[in-house]
Each structure stands twice: as C-alpha cells, then as structure tokens.
Amino acid sequence: MKAYRGALLYFTGPGQAHYESDGLLVVGPGKPDAADTAGATAALNCPRVLAVGSYGALAPRFAQLPSTHFAGRILAPGFVDMHIHYPQTDVIGAPAEDLLDWLERYTFPHEARFADPAHCAAVAEFFLDELLRHGVTTALTFATSHPASVDALFAAAQRRRMRLITGKVLQDRHSPEGVRDDTVQSLRDTEALIGRWHGVDRLGYAITPRFAPTSTPAQLRGAGELAARYPSTWIQSHVAENANEVRWARELFPAARSYLAVYDDFGLMRERAVYAHCIHLDAADRALLRQRHTAAAVCPSSNLFLGSGFFDYAAAARAGFSYGLASDVGGGTGFSPFHTMLAAYYVAREGQTKQGLGLTPQQLWWQHTAGAAQALGLAGVVGNLQPGCEADFLVLNPAATPLLARKTAQAGSLDELLFALIVLGDDRVVERCLVAGQG
Ligand SMILES: [Zn+2]
C-alpha cells in the first residue's frame, strides 16, 4: 500500500469534477472485477485506488502508512485517448489538400514501412514514451495492416504495464501495395492476434477496419463475424470525417441508408465499438449510435488541421450517444491532451455550420478522462481516481511555466484553475505519470 498527499482532482459524474486542495490518495493491491476486460484472464494484478478524499479525514485511518507529499501539485487521473494511430507518429504536421490526399501522399507510404518488425518496435517504444510523457495512460490506437505492428505495440505496452487497446488494420482494396492486405488472410491474422493478446494483462484487442471505402464487403462481413464471436473485443474505425470521403462511401455502398449504416449492416456497431470523427451525420445516424451503444471519438485538432468539419456537440447531446476526446495523431497536431481539450473548446464554440456552445473546463477534462473511459466501456477501471479504479495517475504542476504560475495563483474557482491549465498547459505540466502505481 502507498499513500500520496497533494491536491486531488477526480470525477463524481459526467462533467462534474471534485477538487480537494489537501487530499490523500491511497493505492494498493486490488482484485480484478467484472469491469475488467470481460471474458479474459487478467494475469496482471494491477494496483487500485483504495481510498481518496481529504487529508484531514483520511490520514487517521492510514496513520501507519507513510505518504509521499507532492506539495503544490495536483494528483489527477491519467488521460484516455480514444483514437490515435501509432504508425503515424512521424506523419504529424504533413500538409495536404484534404483527408484523401493526405492518406495517399503521406500516410500510406509511412505505414508501408511497418512491414519491417524492427521499425515497428522502434516506433512503438517512442510512441508509448511520448503518450506517457504527455500524461496519456490509456489509448485506443490503430496499428497498420501488418500483424507485426500489433505484436510490437502490445509487447511494448505490456512491459510498461499499460492498459492499451490496438488492432491490425483491415484494408483489402483501394489501398496501395505495401499496406493492402488479403481478405481471407487478414481475418485469419485478426483472429490469431485476438487469441495472442486480448485480455492478456491490461491489453485489449480492437477489430480495425480502416474505413468502409478501403474494405470489400467480404472483409467487413468477416470483421462483423469476428466481432460477434469475440464480444469483449473492441471495434474501431472512421466515419463521416470529410465530405469527399462520405460521397465515396455512398457510391461504394449504394444500398446502405448512410455511411454509418454500412458498418451497422455488417454487424460492426455494438458496445465497445468506437468510430472516429462522426462529423457529417444526420439525426438517424446519431440515433443509431445511441441504439447500438456505439461511441464516437471526437478528434478536434485533426478536424481543424485537415479542414474536415466540426463535431456537433449540441446534436450529440440531444441524441444521447457516448463520446470522448482523441488526438488522432497523425491527422491530429500532437499528443497533448491539453491541446486537444482546447481544440474541442474551439470546435464546440463554432456556430456558423451548427449550433455553437461553450463547454465548461470540467466537461472538457471529463471527456478526456472518465468520459472517454465510459465511452470505451471502461468506467470505474481507468480515467478516474474513485476507489476501485486502476492506479494510473498524474502529478501535475500548475506552476510549470511563469504564465501558468501567475494565472493559476489567481484562480478563484475550480473552473478558472482547470481552464488556465487547458489553455496554457502542455507536457511541462505533467511532472510524473504513474502507470499501475509505478513511474
Ligand atoms: Zn484516425
């Protein structure tokens, strides 16, 4: 058992944060529970939060336990990134006309390099170190179409004891040599990878069609069959990011009611399914997301960078489907959750193409921690510091830069404090990142 003293930030409900200016966080060995990666064996006994609250109230209960004191620091849950591409680490900042041009000119050539296992291993190490340096302790990430890219990332995450979800990309058409896979072999590879990695320690597998235009109906059907056979796996893909992409998907699947409905037609919408972007949807699509308990990964920095459009927060709230924040590196501009939260604020505010609204800092932070965890089906497991949560947490320095020190010293409320961190913060704020109680 270990105890940590400092200011504390955690969540009591959607968009509702609790702040303790002098708090105590007690972490110790915990038993895996039902919320754990269902249907799988959890070999790693991950330390969990045993108690959290004010120092004054908790200290007598844990009087024998020496505590580490982080004076002037905030203990906060690790961030959860709902959509990112580890093979696109080197694609960040690639200029292109739009999504389809960007894929062809930068992304596919970069991803083709993952045929080499040594390259996979090197990028996997860098990627995970970079995530943790920015305070992201759990991610749902794409690999490439090469099975070796999945093995490399899982092995690197397992060494770091991280809760991480990834999967081999399925793309058997409209893709260049080097990243295009074979329909039958791609499904065999997926099933073998599920058997090798899903539920091992804190790792989870995601069935990963790149997006409907780059998969044949046969491949999508096979993916849907695997999703039904392995219900505790995740599903991840993209939908309705960009107007040209939507048009192309509609041409390729004329019988489907909409682009999103293509996935539903193949059994790819269910709990633990996550679709990145979800910008160009209609009311029936949004209702379908809710009905199928399928989540959206909102990728604001990527959408602004590629000029794709603006996620409609007001329509999402009306429809009532789950969503959370994501960096979408390499379409996204970086790993920093602070930058992503600020971009989400801009996107929500935009009121020319849809209803604009002002998200509160507590809502923004929730969407990148406990809210994202909930959308992934991992509520009470990661993204929060409530008792029972796995011990992934950050030590944040609210005075990391001269301007931050000046701003946060003047904060008169929790919202003012969190907003200063969102607007001015970056990796310099993340002083330590503890994964499974270590780090
Ligand atoms: Zn993406």
Side-chain angles (χ1 to χ4, degrees):
M1 251 193 325
K2 284 181 186 166
Y4 304 89
R5 183 180 179 182
L8 275 173
L9 176 74
Y10 59 91
F11 291 87
T12 54
Q16 287 179 323
H18 179 81
Y19 185 75
E20 202 70 63
S21 57
D22 184 14
L24 193 70
L25 178 70
V26 182
V27 166
K31 287 194 216 81
D33 57 27
D36 239 314
T37 312
T41 51
L44 185 142
N45 198 3
C46 183
R48 282 161 196 265
V49 175
L50 300 180
V52 66
S54 80
Y55 182 80
L58 281 180
R61 248 177 78 193
F62 297 96
Q64 308 305 317
L65 192 62
S67 62
T68 308
H69 193 181
F70 293 106
R73 303 295 188 264
I74 304 167
L75 306 176
F79 289 102
V80 176
D81 192 327
M82 282 188 71
H83 178 78
I84 185 167
H85 299 251
Y86 103 82
Q88 294 176 17
T89 299
D90 298 321
V91 181
I92 296 173
E97 282 301 308
D98 69 354
L99 168 71
L100 300 178
D101 177 51
W102 173 85
L103 280 172
E104 211 168 293
R105 285 207 291 145
Y106 292 99
T107 305
F108 289 155
H110 268 279
E111 292 195 8
R113 298 178 61 192
F114 286 73
D116 171 13
H119 181 70
C120 298
V123 179
E125 296 291 333
F126 181 86
F127 170 81
L128 294 179
D129 286 347
E130 197 66 5
L131 278 184
L132 296 175
R133 210 171 63 73
H134 284 276
V136 178
T137 48
T138 285
L140 170 60
T141 173
F142 270 54
T144 65
S145 56
H146 315 91
S149 71
V150 177
D151 287 326
L153 188 64
F154 273 139
Q158 188 178 35
R159 279 195 294 278
R160 288 167 178 77
R161 298 160 58 91
M162 288 176 74
R163 184 168 283 285
L164 183 117
I165 308 162
T166 190
K168 180 205 125 52
V169 173
L170 299 165
Q171 53 180 121
D172 64 350
R173 67 166 168 175
H174 299 139
S175 308
E177 199 65 42
V179 294
R180 190 176 60 249
D181 59 12
D182 170 78
T183 312
V184 172
Q185 189 60 41
S186 71
L187 298 167
R188 274 194 203 128
D189 288 341
T190 296
E191 192 160 22
L193 288 164
I194 291 170
R196 200 175 312 152
W197 293 108
H198 183 61
V200 173
D201 293 343
R202 303 179 74 196
L203 309 174
Y205 193 85
I207 296 164
T208 309
R210 175 165 220 117
F211 65 148
T214 49
S215 284
T216 58
Q219 192 176 45
L220 292 174
R221 195 171 304 115
E225 284 164 9
L226 288 172
R229 199 174 310 150
Y230 300 97
S232 67
T233 58
W234 280 263
I235 297 167
Q236 59 177 344
S237 192
H238 300 89
V239 76
E241 175 175 2
N242 156 299
N244 289 333
E245 169 219 9
V246 174
R247 218 169 293 128
W248 191 25
R250 300 301 304 274
E251 281 166 22
L252 292 168
F253 298 93
R257 195 206 69 82
S258 69
Y259 180 3
L260 182 69
V262 172
Y263 296 114
D264 194 43
D265 293 347
F266 289 106
L268 291 166
M269 289 184 74
R270 61 153 164 76
E271 275 182 51
R272 295 194 168 196
V274 176
Y275 286 88
H277 308 300
C278 295
I279 295 171
H280 307 281
L281 300 181
D282 61 17
D285 288 328
R286 293 189 178 95
L288 186 62
L289 283 169
R290 183 195 161 93
Q291 281 161 22
R292 296 286 185 265
H293 305 283
T294 290
V298 182
C299 311
S301 83
S302 169
N303 299 154
L304 293 170
F305 184 74
L306 290 171
S308 302
F310 303 90
F311 180 78
D312 190 336
Y313 274 91
R318 280 196 299 277
F321 63 84
S322 297
Y323 59 85
L325 286 177
S327 64
D328 192 27
V329 160
T333 49
F335 289 80
S336 175
F338 298 97
H339 292 175
T340 301
M341 291 188 285
L342 179 58
Y345 182 74
Y346 295 147
V347 163
R349 285 279 286 219
E350 190 278 333
Q352 307 304 307
T353 65
K354 42 94 179 153
Q355 185 186 338
L357 50 84
L359 295 176
T360 68
Q362 294 184 42
Q363 287 171 325
L364 291 163
W365 209 292
W366 187 78
Q367 287 173 23
H368 223 340
T369 53
Q374 187 178 83
L376 287 173
L378 292 173
V381 180
V382 293
N384 209 344
L385 296 180
Q386 295 274 19
C389 286
E390 294 173 345
D392 293 340
F393 61 98
L394 313 174
V395 179
L396 303 179
N397 179 5
T401 70
L403 184 56
L404 258 174
R406 191 178 166 89
K407 276 292 291 179
T408 57
Q410 296 176 55
S413 68
L414 177 58
D415 276 348
E416 287 179 14
L417 172 68
L418 296 183
F419 230 155
L421 288 165
I422 289 169
V423 174
L424 301 172
D426 54 30
D427 52 305
R428 289 170 291 182
V429 169
V430 183
E431 209 165 73
R432 276 181 73 180
C433 178
L434 290 95
V435 173
Q438 291 176 2

